[in-house]
């Protein structure tokens, strides 16, 4: 379904409810520049580097699109997704059944669930929704859950320290969304709904989260302006 949620006046802060779940795949592909390309790079990197029968967990897996692409490329992997939105997982399960994929899903709060013995942990545009006071502790938990030489792959919307650059990028990003078919009204509505819900960090702050947790290095796999995908190596 096409994302037209914000054509009407908003009545609440943004949340991953049934309405969002029903249009999520369209929403993220039209709202995150080159999302499909970045997702493809993540999948290709993991396919190339993970050992046979490796364990991969996607935290905040939404409709399981990344896990499904991984399964199509490497069906030997042990794939697991966790999300706290029942409507998202309902859609994810429908897609998994349609593909006949072997992917396990769990309805749970990622901050509370048990993580252990993972070879790769994925978080695509999920960390930014965790309250800043809890982020470092959670990334620490992710580090501890990974096996030796494990990887943490995460994508985030970012902010810039330079105010002029930040203003220009905001305008460039708004123009991008206009080209995707969103109106200025829809863009403004969504921005208001996300205020104090999505709290972005700078590139340096995102990398510091991983380095402070103990990861030996953090590299940027893909970037478009204020959107980036990082890989942290244990």
């Amino acid at each position: 379904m096409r994302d037209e949620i914000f054509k009407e006046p908003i009545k609440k802060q943004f949340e991953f409810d049934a309405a969002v779940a029903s249009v999520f795949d369209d929403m993220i592909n039209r709202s995150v520049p080159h999302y499909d390309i970045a997702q493809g790079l993540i999948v290709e990197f993991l396919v190339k580097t993970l050992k046979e029968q490796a364990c991969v967990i996607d935290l905040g897996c939404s409709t399981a699109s990344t896990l499904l692409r991984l399964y199509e490329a490497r069906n030997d992997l042990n794939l697991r997704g966790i999300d706290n939105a029942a409507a998202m997982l309902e859609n994810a399960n429908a897609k998994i059944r349609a593909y006949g994929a072997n992917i396990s899903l769990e309805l749970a709060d990622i901050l509370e669930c048990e993580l252990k013995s993972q070879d790769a942990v994925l978080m695509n545009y999920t960390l930014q929704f965790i309250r800043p006071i809890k982020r470092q502790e959670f990334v620490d938990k992710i580090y501890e859950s990974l096996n030796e030489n494990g990887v943490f792959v995460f994508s985030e919307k970012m902010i810039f320290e330079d105010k002029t650059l930040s203003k220009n990028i905001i305008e460039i990003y708004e123009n991008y969304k206009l080209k995707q078919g969103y109106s200025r009204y829809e863009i403004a509505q969504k921005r208001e709904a996300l205020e104090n819900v999505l709290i972005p960090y700078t590139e340096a702050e995102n990398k510091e989260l991983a380095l402070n947790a103990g990861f030996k290095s953090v590299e940027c796999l893909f970037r478009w302006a204020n959107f980036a995908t990082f890989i942290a190596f244990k």
Side-chain angles (χ1 to χ4, degrees):
M1 292 179 62
R2 188 168 177 81
D3 174 23
E4 297 182 341
I5 289 176
F6 296 99
K7 283 190 172 182
E8 303 297 327
I10 58 172
K11 298 179 181 179
K12 60 180 180 180
Q13 287 186 310
F14 185 88
E15 60 180 275
F16 294 100
D17 56 14
V20 169
S22 69
V23 300
F24 182 77
D25 288 345
D26 180 67
M27 176 186 286
I28 197 162
N29 277 287
R30 290 168 60 209
S31 299
V32 177
H34 307 295
Y35 177 78
D36 185 68
I37 293 173
Q39 186 185 63
L41 276 172
I42 292 170
V43 169
E44 286 193 50
F45 166 77
L46 294 174
V47 165
K48 186 176 180 63
T49 59
L50 289 177
K51 64 184 181 182
E52 189 174 350
Q53 298 293 321
C55 294
V56 181
I57 189 167
D58 189 347
L59 303 177
C61 65
S62 61
T63 62
S65 59
T66 304
L67 291 173
L68 281 164
R69 288 182 72 162
L70 261 177
Y71 178 82
E72 287 184 293
R74 283 272 306 271
N75 61 16
D76 66 292
L77 299 174
N78 294 296
L79 303 176
R80 177 184 172 204
I82 299 178
D83 205 288
N84 68 349
M88 285 289 195
L89 292 187
E90 184 178 338
N91 288 359
N93 272 312
K95 289 163 66 175
I96 288 169
R97 288 193 298 271
Y99 278 87
N102 184 20
I103 300 171
S104 63
L105 299 179
E106 180 181 346
L107 178 63
D109 182 344
I110 60 172
L111 295 178
E112 304 297 332
C113 66
E114 182 178 350
L115 306 175
K116 62 179 181 179
S117 300
Q118 301 299 317
D119 296 297
V121 174
L122 314 181
M123 287 189 76
N124 286 317
Y125 303 103
T126 301
L127 197 57
Q128 61 198 19
F129 288 101
I130 295 175
R131 306 309 295 177
I133 195 171
K134 296 183 177 181
R135 281 187 207 179
Q136 185 63 65
E137 181 182 358
F138 187 61
V139 175
D140 293 350
K141 179 180 177 180
I142 289 171
Y143 176 84
E144 293 299 327
S145 78
L146 284 164
N147 296 325
E148 186 178 357
N149 298 319
V151 292
F152 173 37
V153 183
F154 61 107
S155 303
E156 291 286 287
K157 184 179 182 180
M158 301 182 301
I159 54 174
F160 294 92
E161 294 180 1
D162 184 281
K163 296 295 188 287
T164 301
L165 176 60
S166 180
K167 179 178 181 296
N168 288 334
I169 292 299
I170 288 171
E171 292 175 357
I172 289 170
Y173 178 46
E174 182 169 311
N175 287 334
Y176 171 87
K177 287 189 287 186
L178 289 170
K179 291 176 182 177
Q180 301 305 308
Y182 289 112
S183 66
R184 292 191 185 279
Y185 179 76
E186 288 175 283
I187 294 168
Q189 287 273 95
K190 188 174 183 181
R191 185 187 303 121
E192 183 179 344
L194 283 168
E195 189 172 356
N196 296 320
V197 176
L198 189 164
I199 302 175
Y201 277 5
T202 64
E203 179 179 358
E205 287 172 328
N206 277 301
K207 288 184 174 181
E208 283 170 9
L209 284 173
L211 294 173
N212 289 342
F215 288 95
K216 61 185 177 183
S217 64
V218 188
E219 300 288 351
C220 183
L221 178 67
F222 182 85
R223 178 167 183 172
W224 182 93
N226 55 334
F227 291 83
T229 296
F230 302 96
I231 302 177
F233 299 88
K234 185 168 181 177

Short mmCIF file of all heavy atoms in Angstrom, two decimals, residues 181-219:
data_model
loop_
_atom_site.label_atom_id
_atom_site.label_comp_id
_atom_site.label_asym_id
_atom_site.label_seq_id
_atom_site.Cartn_x
_atom_site.Cartn_y
_atom_site.Cartn_z
N GLY A 181 7.07 12.06 -4.12
CA GLY A 181 5.61 12.17 -4.17
C GLY A 181 4.95 12.66 -2.89
O GLY A 181 3.72 12.77 -2.83
N TYR A 182 5.74 12.97 -1.87
CA TYR A 182 5.16 13.53 -0.64
C TYR A 182 4.94 15.03 -0.82
O TYR A 182 5.72 15.72 -1.48
CB TYR A 182 6.10 13.31 0.55
CG TYR A 182 6.20 11.88 1.02
CD1 TYR A 182 7.38 11.15 0.87
CD2 TYR A 182 5.11 11.25 1.63
CE1 TYR A 182 7.48 9.83 1.31
CE2 TYR A 182 5.21 9.93 2.06
CZ TYR A 182 6.39 9.24 1.90
OH TYR A 182 6.48 7.94 2.33
N SER A 183 3.87 15.53 -0.20
CA SER A 183 3.61 16.97 -0.24
C SER A 183 4.34 17.66 0.91
O SER A 183 4.76 17.00 1.87
CB SER A 183 2.11 17.24 -0.12
OG SER A 183 1.66 16.86 1.18
N ARG A 184 4.49 18.96 0.84
CA ARG A 184 5.12 19.70 1.94
C ARG A 184 4.31 19.53 3.23
O ARG A 184 4.88 19.50 4.32
CB ARG A 184 5.27 21.18 1.57
CG ARG A 184 6.27 21.42 0.46
CD ARG A 184 6.59 22.91 0.29
NE ARG A 184 7.45 23.13 -0.86
CZ ARG A 184 8.77 22.96 -0.87
NH1 ARG A 184 9.38 22.58 0.23
NH2 ARG A 184 9.47 23.19 -1.98
N TYR A 185 3.01 19.44 3.09
CA TYR A 185 2.16 19.24 4.26
C TYR A 185 2.46 17.89 4.91
O TYR A 185 2.61 17.81 6.14
CB TYR A 185 0.68 19.32 3.86
CG TYR A 185 -0.27 19.10 5.01
CD1 TYR A 185 -0.50 20.10 5.95
CD2 TYR A 185 -0.94 17.88 5.16
CE1 TYR A 185 -1.37 19.91 7.01
CE2 TYR A 185 -1.80 17.68 6.23
CZ TYR A 185 -2.02 18.70 7.14
OH TYR A 185 -2.87 18.49 8.20
N GLU A 186 2.53 16.84 4.11
CA GLU A 186 2.85 15.51 4.65
C GLU A 186 4.22 15.50 5.32
O GLU A 186 4.40 14.91 6.39
CB GLU A 186 2.83 14.47 3.52
CG GLU A 186 1.45 14.13 2.99
CD GLU A 186 1.53 13.19 1.81
OE1 GLU A 186 1.85 13.66 0.70
OE2 GLU A 186 1.27 11.99 2.01
N ILE A 187 5.19 16.15 4.71
CA ILE A 187 6.54 16.19 5.25
C ILE A 187 6.55 16.90 6.61
O ILE A 187 7.16 16.43 7.57
CB ILE A 187 7.49 16.90 4.26
CG1 ILE A 187 7.64 16.06 2.99
CG2 ILE A 187 8.86 17.13 4.91
CD1 ILE A 187 8.32 16.79 1.84
N ALA A 188 5.84 18.02 6.68
CA ALA A 188 5.77 18.77 7.94
C ALA A 188 5.04 17.97 9.02
O ALA A 188 5.44 17.99 10.20
CB ALA A 188 5.07 20.11 7.70
N GLN A 189 3.97 17.29 8.63
CA GLN A 189 3.20 16.49 9.58
C GLN A 189 4.07 15.37 10.18
O GLN A 189 4.05 15.12 11.38
CB GLN A 189 1.99 15.87 8.87
CG GLN A 189 0.89 16.86 8.56
CD GLN A 189 -0.07 17.00 9.72
OE1 GLN A 189 0.07 17.90 10.54
NE2 GLN A 189 -1.02 16.11 9.82
N LYS A 190 4.80 14.69 9.31
CA LYS A 190 5.64 13.59 9.79
C LYS A 190 6.76 14.12 10.68
O LYS A 190 7.09 13.51 11.70
CB LYS A 190 6.21 12.80 8.62
CG LYS A 190 6.94 11.53 9.08
CD LYS A 190 7.38 10.68 7.89
CE LYS A 190 8.04 9.40 8.37
NZ LYS A 190 8.50 8.56 7.23
N ARG A 191 7.35 15.24 10.30
CA ARG A 191 8.42 15.83 11.11
C ARG A 191 7.92 16.14 12.51
O ARG A 191 8.59 15.87 13.51
CB ARG A 191 8.95 17.10 10.45
CG ARG A 191 10.16 17.72 11.18
CD ARG A 191 10.55 19.06 10.60
NE ARG A 191 10.84 18.97 9.19
CZ ARG A 191 10.21 19.64 8.25
NH1 ARG A 191 9.21 20.46 8.57
NH2 ARG A 191 10.54 19.52 6.99
N GLU A 192 6.70 16.67 12.60
CA GLU A 192 6.12 16.99 13.91
C GLU A 192 5.83 15.72 14.71
O GLU A 192 6.08 15.66 15.91
CB GLU A 192 4.83 17.79 13.72
CG GLU A 192 4.20 18.24 15.03
CD GLU A 192 2.94 19.06 14.83
OE1 GLU A 192 2.71 19.55 13.70
OE2 GLU A 192 2.17 19.22 15.81
N ALA A 193 5.35 14.68 14.03
CA ALA A 193 5.02 13.43 14.72
C ALA A 193 6.27 12.74 15.27
O ALA A 193 6.22 12.06 16.29
CB ALA A 193 4.29 12.50 13.77
N LEU A 194 7.40 12.93 14.58
CA LEU A 194 8.64 12.28 14.98
C LEU A 194 9.44 13.07 16.01
O LEU A 194 10.42 12.55 16.57
CB LEU A 194 9.52 12.03 13.75
CG LEU A 194 9.12 10.86 12.86
CD1 LEU A 194 9.89 10.91 11.54
CD2 LEU A 194 9.36 9.54 13.56
N GLU A 195 9.04 14.31 16.27
CA GLU A 195 9.79 15.14 17.21
C GLU A 195 9.82 14.49 18.59
O GLU A 195 8.80 14.08 19.14
CB GLU A 195 9.16 16.53 17.30
CG GLU A 195 10.02 17.52 18.08
CD GLU A 195 9.48 18.94 18.00
OE1 GLU A 195 8.49 19.18 17.29
OE2 GLU A 195 10.07 19.82 18.66
N ASN A 196 11.03 14.37 19.13
CA ASN A 196 11.27 13.74 20.44
C ASN A 196 10.98 12.25 20.47
O ASN A 196 10.98 11.63 21.54
CB ASN A 196 10.47 14.44 21.55
CG ASN A 196 10.89 15.88 21.75
OD1 ASN A 196 12.07 16.20 21.69
ND2 ASN A 196 9.92 16.77 21.96
N VAL A 197 10.71 11.67 19.30
CA VAL A 197 10.55 10.22 19.18
C VAL A 197 11.79 9.64 18.50
O VAL A 197 12.40 8.71 18.98
CB VAL A 197 9.28 9.85 18.38
CG1 VAL A 197 9.18 8.34 18.17
CG2 VAL A 197 8.04 10.37 19.10
N LEU A 198 12.14 10.21 17.36
CA LEU A 198 13.38 9.88 16.67
C LEU A 198 14.42 10.93 17.07
O LEU A 198 14.26 12.11 16.75
CB LEU A 198 13.17 9.87 15.16
CG LEU A 198 14.29 9.35 14.25
CD1 LEU A 198 13.74 9.06 12.85
CD2 LEU A 198 15.46 10.30 14.14
N ILE A 199 15.46 10.49 17.76
CA ILE A 199 16.49 11.42 18.24
C ILE A 199 17.82 11.02 17.62
O ILE A 199 18.48 10.07 18.08
CB ILE A 199 16.58 11.41 19.78
CG1 ILE A 199 15.21 11.78 20.37
CG2 ILE A 199 17.65 12.38 20.26
CD1 ILE A 199 15.13 11.70 21.88
N PRO A 200 18.25 11.72 16.57
CA PRO A 200 19.47 11.33 15.85
C PRO A 200 20.74 11.83 16.54
O PRO A 200 20.73 12.81 17.29
CB PRO A 200 19.29 12.00 14.49
CG PRO A 200 18.47 13.22 14.79
CD PRO A 200 17.55 12.84 15.92
N TYR A 201 21.83 11.13 16.27
CA TYR A 201 23.16 11.49 16.74
C TYR A 201 24.00 11.95 15.55
O TYR A 201 23.63 11.74 14.38
CB TYR A 201 23.85 10.28 17.37
CG TYR A 201 23.50 10.00 18.82
CD1 TYR A 201 22.55 10.73 19.50
CD2 TYR A 201 24.15 8.97 19.50
CE1 TYR A 201 22.24 10.45 20.82
CE2 TYR A 201 23.86 8.69 20.82
CZ TYR A 201 22.90 9.43 21.48
OH TYR A 201 22.60 9.15 22.80
N THR A 202 25.15 12.54 15.84
CA THR A 202 26.11 12.85 14.79
C THR A 202 26.83 11.56 14.38
O THR A 202 26.74 10.53 15.06
CB THR A 202 27.16 13.86 15.27
OG1 THR A 202 27.93 13.25 16.33
CG2 THR A 202 26.52 15.15 15.76
N GLU A 203 27.58 11.62 13.29
CA GLU A 203 28.37 10.45 12.87
C GLU A 203 29.35 10.06 13.97
O GLU A 203 29.50 8.87 14.29
CB GLU A 203 29.12 10.75 11.58
CG GLU A 203 29.98 9.59 11.10
CD GLU A 203 30.71 9.87 9.80
OE1 GLU A 203 30.52 10.96 9.23
OE2 GLU A 203 31.48 8.99 9.36
N ALA A 204 30.02 11.05 14.55
CA ALA A 204 31.01 10.78 15.59
C ALA A 204 30.36 10.11 16.80
O ALA A 204 30.91 9.17 17.38
CB ALA A 204 31.70 12.06 16.01
N GLU A 205 29.18 10.58 17.19
CA GLU A 205 28.48 10.01 18.35
C GLU A 205 28.07 8.56 18.10
O GLU A 205 28.16 7.71 18.99
CB GLU A 205 27.26 10.85 18.71
CG GLU A 205 27.61 12.18 19.35
CD GLU A 205 26.41 13.09 19.51
OE1 GLU A 205 25.49 13.03 18.66
OE2 GLU A 205 26.38 13.87 20.48
N ASN A 206 27.63 8.27 16.87
CA ASN A 206 27.26 6.90 16.54
C ASN A 206 28.47 5.97 16.60
O ASN A 206 28.38 4.86 17.12
CB ASN A 206 26.62 6.85 15.15
CG ASN A 206 25.14 7.20 15.16
OD1 ASN A 206 24.36 6.55 15.83
ND2 ASN A 206 24.76 8.24 14.44
N LYS A 207 29.58 6.43 16.07
CA LYS A 207 30.79 5.61 16.10
C LYS A 207 31.29 5.43 17.53
O LYS A 207 31.76 4.35 17.90
CB LYS A 207 31.87 6.24 15.23
CG LYS A 207 31.60 6.13 13.74
CD LYS A 207 32.75 6.69 12.91
CE LYS A 207 32.54 6.43 11.43
NZ LYS A 207 33.65 6.95 10.60
N GLU A 208 31.17 6.47 18.34
CA GLU A 208 31.61 6.40 19.73
C GLU A 208 30.82 5.36 20.52
O GLU A 208 31.37 4.68 21.40
CB GLU A 208 31.49 7.76 20.41
CG GLU A 208 32.59 8.73 20.01
CD GLU A 208 32.33 10.14 20.49
OE1 GLU A 208 31.38 10.34 21.28
OE2 GLU A 208 33.07 11.05 20.07
N LEU A 209 29.54 5.21 20.22
CA LEU A 209 28.72 4.19 20.89
C LEU A 209 29.36 2.82 20.72
O LEU A 209 29.46 2.04 21.68
CB LEU A 209 27.31 4.17 20.31
CG LEU A 209 26.34 5.27 20.72
CD1 LEU A 209 25.05 5.15 19.91
CD2 LEU A 209 26.02 5.23 22.20
N ALA A 210 29.78 2.52 19.50
CA ALA A 210 30.37 1.21 19.22
C ALA A 210 31.77 1.09 19.81
O ALA A 210 32.10 0.07 20.43
CB ALA A 210 30.41 0.98 17.71
N LEU A 211 32.58 2.11 19.65
CA LEU A 211 33.96 2.05 20.16
C LEU A 211 33.97 1.99 21.68
O LEU A 211 34.77 1.25 22.27
CB LEU A 211 34.75 3.26 19.66
CG LEU A 211 34.99 3.32 18.14
CD1 LEU A 211 35.62 4.64 17.75
CD2 LEU A 211 35.86 2.14 17.69
N ASN A 212 33.09 2.73 22.32
CA ASN A 212 33.02 2.71 23.79
C ASN A 212 32.57 1.34 24.31
O ASN A 212 32.91 0.94 25.43
CB ASN A 212 32.06 3.78 24.31
CG ASN A 212 32.61 5.18 24.13
OD1 ASN A 212 33.81 5.37 23.95
ND2 ASN A 212 31.74 6.17 24.18
N ALA A 213 31.80 0.61 23.49
CA ALA A 213 31.34 -0.72 23.88
C ALA A 213 32.45 -1.75 23.79
O ALA A 213 32.36 -2.82 24.38
CB ALA A 213 30.16 -1.14 23.01
N GLY A 214 33.51 -1.43 23.02
CA GLY A 214 34.62 -2.35 22.89
C GLY A 214 34.93 -2.79 21.48
O GLY A 214 35.91 -3.51 21.25
N PHE A 215 34.11 -2.41 20.51
CA PHE A 215 34.39 -2.79 19.12
C PHE A 215 35.74 -2.23 18.70
O PHE A 215 36.08 -1.09 19.03
CB PHE A 215 33.29 -2.29 18.20
CG PHE A 215 31.99 -3.04 18.33
CD1 PHE A 215 30.97 -2.57 19.16
CD2 PHE A 215 31.79 -4.22 17.65
CE1 PHE A 215 29.77 -3.26 19.29
CE2 PHE A 215 30.59 -4.93 17.77
CZ PHE A 215 29.58 -4.45 18.60
N LYS A 216 36.50 -3.02 17.95
CA LYS A 216 37.85 -2.61 17.59
C LYS A 216 37.88 -1.55 16.49
O LYS A 216 38.82 -0.76 16.39
CB LYS A 216 38.68 -3.82 17.17
CG LYS A 216 38.18 -4.57 15.96
CD LYS A 216 39.01 -5.82 15.73
CE LYS A 216 38.48 -6.64 14.54
NZ LYS A 216 39.23 -7.91 14.36
N SER A 217 36.84 -1.53 15.65
CA SER A 217 36.77 -0.52 14.60
C SER A 217 35.34 -0.37 14.11
O SER A 217 34.52 -1.27 14.26
CB SER A 217 37.68 -0.88 13.42
OG SER A 217 37.25 -2.07 12.81
N VAL A 218 35.07 0.80 13.52
CA VAL A 218 33.75 1.09 12.95
C VAL A 218 33.97 1.74 11.59
O VAL A 218 34.70 2.74 11.49
CB VAL A 218 32.91 2.04 13.83
CG1 VAL A 218 31.49 2.14 13.29
CG2 VAL A 218 32.91 1.60 15.27
N GLU A 219 33.35 1.20 10.58
CA GLU A 219 33.48 1.74 9.23
C GLU A 219 32.11 2.13 8.68
O GLU A 219 31.09 1.52 9.05
CB GLU A 219 34.12 0.71 8.29
CG GLU A 219 35.50 0.25 8.68
CD GLU A 219 36.57 1.31 8.48
OE1 GLU A 219 36.27 2.36 7.87
OE2 GLU A 219 37.71 1.08 8.92
#
